[in-house]
Amino acid sequence: MAHSPRPKREQWSGQRGFILAAIGSAIGLGNIWRFPGVAYENGGGAFLIPYLVALLTAGIPVLLFDYAIGHRFRGSAPTAFRRLAKRAELLGWFQVAICFVIILYYTVIIAWSASYLGFSVTRAWGDDPAGFFTGSFLQVAQAPGVSLDIVPGVAWPLLLIWVLVLAVLALGVQKGLERANVIGLPVLVVLFLAMVLRALFLPGALDGLNAFFTPDWSALSDPGVWIAAYSQIFFSLSVAFGIMVTYSSYLKRKTNLTATGLVVGFANSSFELLAGIGVFAALGFMAQQQGTTIAELDGIAGVSLAFIAFPQIISMMPGGPIFGVLFFASLTLAGLTSLLSLLQVVSAAFQEKFGLSIRQGAIRVGGVAAVVSLALFSTSTALPVLDTVDKYVNEVGIVASAIFATVLVTWVLRRLPELQRHLNAVSTLQIGTWWRWLVGVVVPGVLLVMFVSGLVDLVAHGYGDYPRWFTNTLGWGMLAAIVAGAFVLTALRWRHSPDEFVPDALPDVVPAAARPPRGTSTTPKELVP
Amino acid sequence: MTATALVVLIVSLAVVWGGLAASTVYLRRHPEEDDGASATPTAPIVMHDL
């Protein structure tokens, strides 16, 4: 079959550009609004022990697993997985579909945050931040459902964010994504540090830190705390749904992958810890102003932390508007760099399968996402819809994707030794057999426990106070749509066949032609796990 | 702050930020090598069906 020449694959300018982009992707909204609350509720200072164990035994090993697949097979998730094994393309598209759905609502939260950046200057929420957020700003409908009533105050900022990110995406990996992260990430760190420093000098800040760091050692014997730690690490690092596979596919051949993974993993946790300090110093101040304690505060995580508690804090403190601008600018930037990585997963997959140019990929795929996102999430029912979709896509979709990927590569395809050799061939920091045990046994084991406990809870109790028809349609329905989308996209024809790709030869590897036929045993030692 | 909370704060910062510093220093001392030798493909890919 004759093929028209395909354009040369894009590349990061070097390791530095990749590291900044990978850190930018890992540091997202969850680092700022999820980690502090999760740590506090799961043993405070004691939580940091399971958290670090999870980082070293699951987070960084899976990060390296993603890097190895993307770097060795040099493609977006569907291409890379197909090059591992033809039918594994489906898993790649499953990950792409998950990213597509997350993009739809992630963009909206960034648009809210950008709006609040402006609201902070005048403290537009007055003395009722909760009423302002759900009432004047989001105009949340009385009953959950899917309304088509567009809220202009949400729709315009959302449109602006879409124009901005699609423009960056259309510039390509080096001129778009890399430049955005090279500028955005240092700015984020500086703004966030300034916010944390200000928070530390507020009255009551030390009480907040006390609450956050005082260890409850008994939590260590609670399996739920360990699951929470693994979940936090897993969701925070942007692993197992295509991002790191896609990003690492743009790296040069000779790249110190393992050391890079350590830098990215520790950088993500460093920022997260900083966020814990900043958020709890600010909450300590709020508790003191309200004459209460941290333990009695409600809504100290997620949407309510950012859009209700922080506005309250901003209203209470001297110099509040500056603090507000620092906080919401940080939240917006952290979200934007993560959003770009999600978009690249989808855009790259479509570029490769359908032979689109970089610009076509960005505009066509991004354009469709923008329209769906505006239709579904600039309306009065955005909040319950995104809350529900996020819960199901994360706890069922992403966790299932990670289990499939690790089990497939380890136990079905038995290609983990090949990935280990690849990592070692290009890196100076060598990894041993322990890595295969972690990726092949520990990670799927822990994820399976997370998956089953999450699934049982969702099946038995639904989610939150939402009616069953609502969670069934938007939670399970969205997951069904993701699976259906993955099947359809896998079935479509490739514009250029990706199968002629030849991965790098590895040291001490048996040439493919000399391998025994399938079904006969190979070196047993390599297959464990 | 209580002494326990302070110790936990210092130890966690030392471990996490220390880990970042150590891995960054390591990477700076072992920068990427030139693109080259490893890029030569020698073995044809084997497609594995599931």
Side-chain angles (χ1 to χ4, degrees), chain A residues 182-489:
Chain A
V182 165
I183 299 168
L185 192 66
V187 173
L188 165 65
V189 171
V190 170
L191 292 178
F192 201 71
L193 263 176
M195 193 281 288
V196 173
L197 280 176
R198 174 69 189 103
L200 281 175
F201 288 98
L202 289 167
L206 292 183
D207 297 334
L209 294 186
N210 250 340
F212 185 69
F213 282 104
T214 300
D216 167 15
W217 299 116
S218 68
L220 295 181
S221 58
D222 176 359
V225 168
W226 287 82
I227 297 281
Y230 275 89
S231 312
Q232 176 59 32
I233 282 291
F234 181 73
F235 292 127
S236 169
L237 267 178
S238 303
V239 285
F241 55 109
I243 294 178
M244 291 302 168
V245 170
T246 309
Y247 265 20
S248 61
S249 74
Y250 302 118
L251 272 167
K252 289 177 184 170
R253 299 265 170 167
K254 198 73 182 171
T255 298
N256 216 338
L257 279 182
T258 52
T260 304
L262 284 175
V263 172
V264 173
F266 275 110
N268 178 62
S269 291
S270 296
F271 189 90
E272 219 155 54
L273 198 55
L274 190 66
I277 293 172
V279 166
F280 270 81
L283 289 175
F285 165 72
M286 184 164 102
Q288 196 196 59
Q289 296 296 303
Q290 294 180 342
T292 176
T293 61
I294 296 257
E296 289 167 55
L297 293 178
D298 285 328
I300 56 168
V303 169
S304 50
L305 172 76
F307 298 105
I308 297 173
F310 261 83
Q312 274 177 334
I313 293 165
I314 292 161
S315 288
M316 287 171 182
M317 66 191 283
I322 299 172
F323 185 79
V325 167
L326 290 174
F327 176 76
F328 285 110
S330 302
L331 198 64
T332 308
L333 266 176
L336 278 174
T337 48
S338 301
L339 175 65
L340 286 171
S341 67
L342 288 160
L343 278 162
Q344 184 63 22
V345 172
V346 186
S347 175
F350 277 80
Q351 283 172 39
E352 287 166 17
K353 180 129 195 182
F354 302 108
L356 305 178
S357 69
I358 298 165
R359 197 168 293 178
Q360 283 171 333
I363 304 298
R364 290 187 196 173
V365 176
V368 171
V371 170
V372 179
S373 161
L374 277 157
L376 268 180
F377 294 105
S378 61
T379 66
S380 56
T381 45
L383 190 57
V385 173
L386 80 82
D387 187 25
T388 306
V389 173
D390 180 59
K391 174 82 177 174
Y392 285 73
V393 167
N394 275 284
E395 292 198 3
V396 183
I398 297 182
V399 179
S401 158
I403 295 171
F404 283 138
T406 48
V407 169
L408 178 78
V409 174
T410 312
W411 299 106
V412 182
L413 302 173
R414 307 203 162 202
R415 303 280 288 276
L416 216 47
E418 177 186 336
L419 296 182
Q420 182 196 357
R421 276 200 301 269
H422 179 86
L423 287 168
N424 284 338
V426 296
S427 313
T428 54
L429 191 65
Q430 303 287 293
I431 51 166
T433 314
W434 51 267
W435 176 76
R436 302 207 307 253
W437 282 99
L438 291 175
V439 171
V441 179
V442 174
V443 170
V446 174
L447 290 175
L448 203 63
V449 174
M450 266 165 65
F451 184 76
V452 172
S453 61
L455 203 65
V456 166
D457 193 39
L458 287 176
V459 170
H461 307 109
Y463 174 50
D465 297 329
Y466 301 119
R468 276 306 177 98
W469 69 265
F470 183 76
T471 52
N472 284 346
T473 318
L474 285 152
W476 298 116
M478 192 60 88
L479 285 169
I482 286 173
V483 172
F487 271 101
V488 170
L489 287 159

Side-chain angles (χ1 to χ4, degrees), chain A residues 89-137:
Chain A
E89 183 188 338
L90 180 65
L91 177 59
W93 283 111
F94 181 62
Q95 299 188 340
V96 171
I98 286 177
C99 287
F100 183 84
V101 171
I102 295 176
I103 286 165
L104 300 178
Y105 61 82
Y106 207 79
T107 321
V108 187
I109 302 171
I110 297 169
W112 294 350
S113 176
S115 299
Y116 268 69
L117 178 57
F119 296 156
S120 296
V121 178
T122 56
R123 305 187 227 207
W125 46 78
D127 51 10
D128 181 17
F132 176 83
F133 179 61
T134 53
S136 322
F137 181 56

Side-chain angles (χ1 to χ4, degrees), chain A residues 85 210 256 415 428 502 505 512, chain B residues 2 26 30 42-43 45-48:
Chain A
N210 250 340
N256 216 338
R415 303 280 288 276
T428 54
V502 180
Chain B
T2 62
Y26 178 87
H30 302 84
T42 51
I45 189 169
V46 179
M47 296 304 301
H48 294 251

